[in-house]
Amino acid sequence: MKEEKDEQLWQQAKARADFKKHLATYIVTNGMLWLIWLFTGGVNAYPWPIWPTAGWGIGIIAHYFDVYRFGNTAEKEYEKLKKHNV
């Protein structure tokens, strides 16, 4: 017998898996950018990979907070209102 998935938990699981993929892509891509920098002038050159690393890092942080901290804020507010209006 196949078990029914809880839709809310399924959505949360998908969001967390998407975040992990995003983080892995960030680490690999930025690692490659830093290696390119290192092997094409390195410590004597301007550290240009800092800009994509920092910019994309802000997006990673926002994605983390959306998934792990504030992802279900609207649902919590709905439950509060539902309790108070009963």
Side-chain angles (χ1 to χ4, degrees), residues 71-85:
N72 60 355
T73 305
E75 184 172 321
K76 287 178 183 176
E77 288 299 319
Y78 175 78
E79 291 299 324
K80 277 189 214 176
L81 289 172
K82 192 170 148 183
K83 275 184 185 177
H84 289 34
N85 289 325

Side-chain angles (χ1 to χ4, degrees), residues 24-57:
T25 302
Y26 170 80
I27 291 168
V28 169
T29 303
N30 280 290
M32 287 190 308
L33 291 176
W34 282 100
L35 286 173
I36 290 168
W37 170 79
L38 183 65
F39 292 122
T40 59
V43 293
N44 298 324
Y46 178 75
W48 56 266
I50 193 72
W51 299 112
T53 301
W56 195 353

Side-chain angles (χ1 to χ4, degrees), residues 6 18 78:
D6 180 342
D18 287 344
Y78 175 78

